Amino acid sequence: MTNDVTTDATAEFESHRPRMFGLAYRMLGSADEAQDIVQDAYLRFCATEPGSVAHPGAWLAKVVTNLCLNRLTSARTRREQYAGPWLPEPVLTSDGTLGPLESAERRDAVSFALLLLLERLTPTERAVYVLREAFAYGYREIADVLDLGEANCRQLYRRSQARLAAPEARFAPSEQVRHALVEAFVEAAREGDLAALEKLLAADVTWWGDGGGKASAARRPVEGREKVLRFLAGLGQGIAAGMTYAVAEVNGAPALLVRSGERLFCVVSFEVRADVVVIARAVLNPDKLAFMSRQLARP
């Protein structure tokens, strides 16, 4: 009987797992930590009395959100001590890992740009914003998850919107333009063609690198086209041999994947304005590439 109950609980939980992982990832910006949170929620769900949870989806959302809030408190301290720039962990999204991303708004909701902006918020503001924007929760539902008043949740949401406000690009490129630009970047990188790369970079482009002290990366942002080109030229001389380059959908947008043999070496995401790259963010920390490496290894 116990085995039957456990099987039923597992089946119920698995139907909610993708949504819970998406919630935890948006809250933390870390795929591995999100997996830990979801596993903890699973164990708690299995430990409940059979039939005692009337609405498993809502119950799990509350558990996952509050586990993330606890984790964010310590995460802030760790990130302040992080070696060099901190970037979120990249996630392949073409397989639906973070849910359906059929609209530009949904893709933007898991972009590196937004995940970094969310770092400006307090943990509670972040929870309100994610539940409202990414999961379309009403204020009453958010209040139930966070044990706050509805009016307080409305205020927290307005505050988070104000803190995340940023000027929109005048000419947002289409997905086709973005993909073509990244493809051109990959081809230029593959050929070591700096002249071609120069045409793809904005004059004020910025290159961010996250090595976490475990991989060679710029400890400060590299700013300006000429400096970025010199940096890439030096980087290419050091790592070009044996490297392969490809394009994949990462966090809802085309990104550059660099492999050394079978090992994922680096993932570079791009922010594009008009027809040039304005920001490139490279994740080289092997710990942060572990989740995507497992995704890529799936048949």
Side-chain angles (χ1 to χ4, degrees):
M1 186 71 174
T2 301
N3 288 338
D4 290 339
V5 170
T6 302
T7 300
D8 290 344
T10 298
E12 176 66 39
F13 181 85
E14 289 302 322
S15 71
H16 298 283
R17 181 185 288 274
R19 188 174 175 85
M20 294 306 102
F21 177 80
L23 171 58
Y25 176 74
R26 288 168 173 85
M27 285 288 294
L28 301 171
S30 167
D32 273 338
E33 286 189 279
Q35 280 193 312
D36 290 344
I37 291 290
V38 171
Q39 183 62 20
D40 194 348
Y42 166 71
L43 295 175
R44 294 183 184 214
F45 185 65
C46 287
T48 61
E49 288 293 326
S52 63
V53 178
H55 303 287
W59 187 92
L60 286 168
K62 181 166 187 171
V63 170
V64 167
T65 300
N66 283 285
L67 287 171
C68 288
L69 288 173
N70 293 337
R71 187 73 66 98
L72 277 173
T73 303
S74 59
R76 295 211 163 200
T77 301
R78 293 198 308 274
R79 288 171 193 176
E80 288 171 0
Q81 301 168 348
Y82 195 76
W86 179 91
L87 295 174
E89 288 183 23
V91 174
L92 284 175
T93 47
S94 54
D95 63 356
T97 294
L98 293 179
L101 303 176
E102 68 276 5
S103 67
E105 291 76 17
R106 288 197 172 188
R107 287 191 292 273
D108 288 344
V110 295
S111 68
F112 269 30
L114 181 62
L115 290 172
L116 286 165
L117 283 175
L118 290 176
E119 293 291 306
R120 298 179 182 179
L121 306 181
T122 66
T124 305
E125 287 172 344
R126 185 164 183 160
V128 170
Y129 186 86
V130 168
L131 289 168
R132 181 71 175 164
E133 287 289 319
F135 295 92
Y137 272 42
Y139 290 111
R140 178 174 297 177
E141 294 172 295
I142 297 172
D144 289 342
V145 168
L146 297 174
D147 292 325
L148 297 172
E150 282 187 60
N152 193 5
C153 290
R154 289 178 185 274
Q155 184 179 29
L156 287 167
Y157 178 67
R158 287 195 297 269
R159 188 187 305 162
S160 66
Q161 281 187 308
R163 295 182 70 179
L164 296 178
E168 296 292 329
R170 289 185 62 193
F171 304 105
S174 67
E175 286 303 304
Q176 292 80 2
V177 168
R178 293 172 67 181
H179 197 277
L181 191 150
V182 176
E183 289 276 10
F185 191 100
V186 169
E187 186 61 27
R190 186 181 289 127
E191 299 297 325
D193 189 344
L194 293 180
L197 281 175
E198 182 176 8
K199 295 177 182 177
L200 301 173
L201 302 177
D204 59 348
V205 64
T206 302
W207 181 282
W208 293 81
D210 179 344
K214 299 186 177 184
S216 180
R219 296 295 292 269
R220 290 185 175 84
V222 182
E223 299 179 326
R225 183 192 290 139
E226 296 304 318
K227 289 183 179 179
V228 169
L229 285 170
R230 286 199 299 272
F231 171 77
L232 292 177
L235 194 65
Q237 291 173 359
I239 70 170
M243 293 294 175
T244 58
Y245 304 84
V247 179
E249 183 187 298
V250 176
N251 288 71
L256 165 63
L257 272 58
V258 183
R259 287 187 176 93
S260 174
E262 294 299 314
R263 180 174 67 90
L264 183 60
F265 174 79
C266 176
V267 175
V268 186
S269 68
F270 300 91
E271 272 191 56
V272 177
R273 298 287 186 271
D275 57 352
V276 291
V277 173
V278 292
I279 300 176
R281 300 183 176 95
V283 179
L284 300 100
N285 184 341
D287 293 345
K288 291 190 173 185
L289 298 176
F291 182 84
M292 183 180 285
S293 295
R294 293 194 294 272
Q295 286 184 293
L296 292 167
R298 293 172 189 162

